[in-house]
Amino acid sequence: GAVVSQHPSRVICKSGTSVKIECRSLDFQATTMFWYRQFPKQSLMLMATSNEGSKATYEQGVEKDKFLINHASLTLSTLTVTSAHPEDSSFYICSARTGLHNEQFFGPGTRLTVL
Amino acid sequence: AQSVTQPDIHITVSEGASLELRCNYSYGATPYLFWYVQSPGQGLQLLLKYFSGDTLVQGIKGFEAEFKRSQSSFNLRKPSVHWSDAAEYFCAVGAAGNTPLVFGKGTRLSVIA
């Protein structure tokens, strides 16, 4: 149980285009999902907390207009990187929270490369 | 504020040897503690967790961890390491409510023959 999927697993796009990444909890409902960014050989950097039916909460320094988050249902959150630039290239990972003890289950990640 | 320290950036062990990865946390109340493992290019997999009760917790893949309140530690152990255990290991601390986990910087484990 507690499986989280992400799609796509890998995407290459041109500078200036927008990219949407989906995060789904497959066998449970998640009122809260989290989006992280990970640079090579580094830890996870929390970007935002996504709450179903309400606006996402962004961490300091994360541009909300650039990284659009939508949590339209209890099993789906999306991250859209708008007008992507090469510096946005990174590994993006989502997680879904479930249970009383704040357990988070992670998706497999999405490798974004902006040319 | 919550924080997690993993003092060892990189550890190399021989296959079959024992392993201990260190994790120290800073948190005002009883924390929820987690260990995750990440293989290259993959997401994070939950190895084990501690919420309350028995301070020695068992996880998947033969891992265990011990919560020591007096030392603010939650070290991960495995008695005999396998080559497939080579990966990045993250310790994390959380709490009740809608708060995200706080992660350590990770420890990279290399396994040599």
Side-chain angles (χ1 to χ4, degrees):
Chain A
V3 178
V4 177
S5 71
Q6 268 184 255
H7 179 78
S9 59
R10 186 181 297 268
V11 57
I12 301 173
C13 68
K14 293 182 178 180
S15 185
T17 60
S18 294
V19 174
K20 179 185 285 189
I21 302 171
E22 292 185 349
C23 177
R24 293 182 185 272
S25 57
L26 298 184
D27 50 1
F28 64 99
Q29 294 183 331
T31 55
T32 303
M33 292 184 174
F34 302 93
W35 287 95
Y36 296 85
R37 183 173 181 177
Q38 187 179 33
F39 293 101
K41 300 187 185 301
Q42 294 190 25
S43 188
L44 286 75
M45 182 190 78
L46 179 66
M47 299 175 66
T49 300
S50 170
N51 297 299
E52 187 267 337
S54 64
K55 290 184 179 180
T57 303
Y58 291 82
E59 295 301 299
Q60 190 172 9
V62 178
E63 299 175 60
K64 60 183 65 177
D65 294 330
K66 180 167 189 61
F67 297 100
L68 300 178
I69 291 173
N70 183 275
H71 195 153
S73 78
L74 287 172
T75 59
L76 173 65
S77 175
T78 59
L79 168 68
T80 301
V81 183
T82 62
S83 186
H85 289 95
E87 58 265 31
D88 299 323
S89 298
S90 192
F91 192 56
Y92 292 88
I93 307 176
C94 73
S95 72
R97 174 181 175 273
T98 185
L100 292 174
H101 300 110
N102 202 13
E103 291 174 81
Q104 289 185 29
F105 295 90
F106 287 80
T110 297
R111 171 74 57 194
L112 170 64
T113 303
V114 184
L115 303 176
Chain B
Q2 300 173 49
S3 68
V4 178
T5 302
Q6 292 180 247
D8 305 305
I9 296 174
H10 183 203
I11 284 182
T12 300
V13 300
S14 298
E15 190 170 16
S18 63
L19 170 71
E20 181 168 37
L21 301 182
R22 296 182 292 166
C23 173
N24 293 96
Y25 66 91
S26 174
Y27 188 63
T30 300
Y32 300 155
L33 294 159
F34 306 85
W35 273 100
Y36 289 88
V37 61
Q38 183 182 33
S39 296
Q42 302 294 316
L44 276 69
Q45 181 182 22
L46 179 65
L47 283 176
L48 47 75
K49 62 205 177 205
Y50 171 79
F51 303 134
S52 65
D54 192 346
T55 56
L56 183 64
V57 293
Q58 303 295 321
I60 62 171
K61 304 185 179 186
F63 286 93
E64 67 177 27
E66 186 171 13
F67 170 59
K68 292 186 177 180
R69 184 188 301 275
S70 61
Q71 299 177 21
S72 297
S73 69
F74 188 57
N75 295 346
L76 181 71
R77 300 194 294 250
K78 186 169 184 177
S80 177
V81 170
H82 188 261
W83 65 266
S84 60
D85 293 324
E88 189 85 20
Y89 290 80
F90 293 97
C91 181
V93 63
N98 203 25
T99 54
L101 295 179
V102 175
F103 285 86
K105 293 186 181 297
T107 298
R108 184 162 61 94
L109 173 65
S110 297
V111 180
I112 58 176

